[in-house]
Amino acid sequence: MGKPTGFMEYGRCDRRYEPVGDRVVNYVEFVIPLADAELREQGARCMDCGIPYCHQGCPVNNIIPDWNDLVYRGEWEAAIEVLHSTNNFPEFTGRICPAPCEASCTLNLDDAPVTIKTIECAIVDRAWDEGWIKPQVPERRTGKRVAVVGSGPAGLAAAQQLARAGHQVAIYEKADRIGGLLRYGIPDFKLNKELIDRRMAQMRTEGVEFHTNAHIGVSIPVTKLREDYDAVVLAGGSEKPRDLPVEGRELNGIHFAMDFLTRNSKRVQGTYVSDEELISAQDKHVVVIGGGDTGSDCIGTSIRHGAKSVTQIEILDKPPEKEDKALTWPNWPNKLRTSSSQEEGCERLWNLATKSFSGDAEGRVTELNYCLVRWDKDADGRWQMQEVPGSEGQLKADLVLLAMGFVHPVHEGMIDELRQSAGLELDARGNIKGSTEGADAYHTSVEGVFCAGDMRRGQSLVVWAIREGRQCARAVDEWLMGETDLPR
């Protein structure tokens, strides 16, 4: 612990954003980093707790107090070594992770946790600038071949770990570019895609092959991968969106959020998207259904398009402004959070259930018809929704974006083929069945086929995907070689 009194001497100081008027005219990252002196002070605030709850709050179990102390001491190169020991891609999590570690910080009892996410991002950004991050080419090759299906954070983490263990690894991605959700699902103003390309260059040197426009189960049979490779890792994510089957759903102008975001991101990144294919929010009254991160990304993108108005509706109650620490800490609390996109100009409404959509003579959506709902507990303590009589209303809507989450991975194609040809088992939610503990961790019911990330656990965070990718790589290595030195 560099400075035992640091948490008493220095207040919390975090990164700032560029003014709204400046940032909404482009798709460039707009976070303003802290200066080195400020970062050292923030590192000094870490209390090096006897029980560092931040370790458990972080899904990849980052060794947070150690690299906080190293930043305070100015030992940046040592800090990136510690950071990389648990996280392959801290430049991703340092930008888009909601930082559950900070919710678990002891100083969060006073609503002033250590700025862990900011320090993490500063460490990796500086390490890239200084040239400290280099490919880790294995000293020997095992002769084993592993195919990884999906190039999102789970697939990339698994592939990098397996390549460093000496296996020949190939990633198969159905899209035209590598990155999965990171590439096209998350807007460029939140994550500069050059960060993905930079990691790809590192991984290529380490021996990873990348195959794009390779849709396993559609253009390439999954049976071919099983024949050509010693092991297969399924890391394709959870991409089946939750739909809203109400009257008027078929009207033009109602789209799944990911269709809206993906097409816009492709155009921003230079991939040709025709005007007819692009879903534009320009001069439209936009309604986003769903209060999560994907909904926020739709808000920020719509504002950059030049929408007339943006309204976000949520069926649940409005969360409290402040959590009860005695009941929630050190766990992730339910509390009101406002994203940078929501700050840019959005009306947020709670307790609204969509009843139907109305349209014009040309079949275009014009209104969303809703009613208010309330949530009460039944005799068994379970929350039940009830409509509020006489609370019906309408919202003007030229564009409706459905951002209500994802139910499970897409079954058509690869999963259905494996179910029919090899008896692949799914869980009750429609995800690929597999545990995370024990001798069969990350194994599927098919011999030699493993699964990690959202395709196994359901819709989740990027940091959870990285964790599962790393742990799955260890399971694959142990299955192939009988033992493994890869970290868990």
Side-chain angles (χ1 to χ4, degrees), residues 31-45:
V31 177
I32 302 172
L34 294 182
D36 282 1
E38 294 173 310
L39 288 163
R40 292 188 65 178
E41 288 183 355
Q42 294 307 301
R45 296 184 68 241

Side-chain angles (χ1 to χ4, degrees), residues 31 46 52 62 83 119 151 184 193 228 245 271 273 304-305 313 330 332-333 336 340 344 370 400 468:
V31 177
C46 182
N62 274 332
L83 180 51
I119 296 172
S151 69
Y184 290 135
K193 308 313 173 184
D228 293 348
T271 298
V273 177
R304 283 160 178 77
H305 281 190
I313 66 173
W332 183 252
L336 182 64
S340 60
E344 291 168 358
Y370 68 84
V400 177
E468 293 218 351

Side-chain angles (χ1 to χ4, degrees), residues 143-409:
K144 301 292 185 179
R145 308 181 73 227
V146 182
V148 177
V149 181
S151 69
L156 290 175
Q160 185 167 60
Q161 293 295 95
L162 288 165
R164 289 174 175 177
H167 305 306
Q168 183 179 342
V169 182
I171 291 180
Y172 289 84
E173 168 57 53
K174 67 181 179 181
D176 61 333
R177 299 177 73 179
I178 294 295
L181 177 71
L182 297 170
R183 174 68 68 178
Y184 290 135
I186 296 174
D188 290 58
F189 57 80
K190 287 177 63 176
L191 181 69
N192 186 330
K193 308 313 173 184
E194 291 180 0
L195 304 179
I196 305 173
D197 299 334
R198 188 168 59 184
R199 280 294 179 183
M200 286 177 59
Q202 180 196 37
M203 292 173 66
R204 278 198 180 96
T205 304
E206 293 171 343
V208 178
E209 302 173 7
F210 294 97
H211 302 276
T212 56
N213 296 307
H215 197 169
I216 305 303
V218 178
S219 60
I220 301 174
V222 69
T223 52
K224 179 168 177 56
L225 293 192
R226 297 187 65 204
E227 293 169 359
D228 293 348
Y229 293 88
D230 299 291
V232 177
V233 175
L234 307 181
S238 178
E239 295 184 313
K240 188 73 170 180
R242 181 173 284 106
D243 208 342
L244 186 60
V246 298
E247 182 182 350
R249 169 64 179 88
E250 75 286 351
L251 291 167
N252 292 328
I254 304 173
H255 303 274
F256 289 119
M258 203 51 64
D259 292 336
F260 171 70
L261 293 172
T262 296
R263 296 174 196 182
N264 181 77
S265 291
K266 285 186 174 183
R267 176 172 280 196
V268 170
Q269 294 169 40
T271 298
Y272 176 74
V273 177
S274 67
D275 290 342
E276 292 74 21
E277 185 181 3
L278 183 73
I279 302 170
S280 176
Q282 185 176 0
D283 296 328
K284 294 178 180 177
H285 295 286
V286 180
V287 177
V288 178
I289 303 178
D293 291 336
T294 301
S296 285
D297 293 342
C298 290
I299 292 166
T301 301
S302 296
I303 290 170
R304 283 160 178 77
H305 281 190
K308 282 184 179 178
S309 68
V310 183
T311 305
Q312 184 178 34
I313 66 173
E314 170 62 70
I315 198 170
L316 299 175
D317 293 332
K318 182 178 181 179
E321 296 279 349
K322 179 175 168 53
E323 74 273 31
D324 185 339
K325 302 288 186 182
L327 295 177
T328 62
W329 185 85
N331 298 315
W332 183 252
N334 176 37
K335 61 183 290 187
L336 182 64
R337 295 178 174 86
T338 301
S339 70
S340 60
S341 291
Q342 289 164 339
E343 290 175 348
E344 291 168 358
C346 165
E347 183 179 10
R348 302 167 72 184
L349 303 174
W350 284 267
N351 297 105
L352 261 67
T354 303
K355 299 294 292 181
S356 64
F357 298 104
S358 300
D360 59 18
E362 283 73 41
R364 295 173 300 204
V365 66
T366 57
E367 286 184 327
L368 179 150
N369 305 305
Y370 68 84
C371 72
L372 296 178
V373 298
R374 70 168 186 260
W375 295 86
D376 300 303
K377 287 186 177 180
D378 62 17
D380 297 322
R382 292 174 297 191
W383 289 103
Q384 300 291 337
M385 185 185 78
Q386 296 184 31
E387 296 183 5
V388 177
S391 64
E392 295 80 8
Q394 293 79 37
L395 291 174
K396 190 170 182 60
D398 305 312
L399 175 62
V400 177
L401 301 173
L402 307 180
M404 303 177 295
F406 303 87
V407 291
H408 51 63

Side-chain angles (χ1 to χ4, degrees), residues 41-186:
E41 288 183 355
Q42 294 307 301
R45 296 184 68 241
C46 182
M47 301 172 66
D48 194 16
C49 304
I51 300 176
Y53 290 101
C54 58
H55 284 201
Q56 303 307 315
C58 174
V60 293
N61 303 124
N62 274 332
I63 312 171
I64 294 164
D66 289 33
W67 42 259
N68 279 337
D69 178 56
L70 290 166
V71 167
Y72 166 69
R73 297 176 183 276
E75 299 177 22
W76 291 86
E77 190 168 2
I80 189 60
E81 291 296 325
V82 176
L83 180 51
H84 267 154
S85 70
T86 57
N87 187 351
N88 292 67
F89 313 118
E91 63 268 45
F92 302 158
T93 52
R95 285 169 167 81
I96 59 177
C97 182
C101 54
E102 294 188 17
S104 298
C105 177
T106 301
L107 289 177
N108 191 40
L109 287 168
D110 289 331
D111 294 312
V114 175
T115 52
I116 299 169
K117 177 179 173 180
T118 290
I119 296 172
E120 174 185 38
C121 195
I123 292 171
V124 67
D125 285 353
R126 179 160 183 165
W128 279 111
D129 291 342
E130 297 288 347
W132 296 330
I133 300 177
K134 296 180 173 62
Q136 298 180 27
V137 180
E139 296 181 357
R140 61 178 181 83
R141 296 290 181 181
T142 64
K144 301 292 185 179
R145 308 181 73 227
V146 182
V148 177
V149 181
S151 69
L156 290 175
Q160 185 167 60
Q161 293 295 95
L162 288 165
R164 289 174 175 177
H167 305 306
Q168 183 179 342
V169 182
I171 291 180
Y172 289 84
E173 168 57 53
K174 67 181 179 181
D176 61 333
R177 299 177 73 179
I178 294 295
L181 177 71
L182 297 170
R183 174 68 68 178
Y184 290 135
I186 296 174

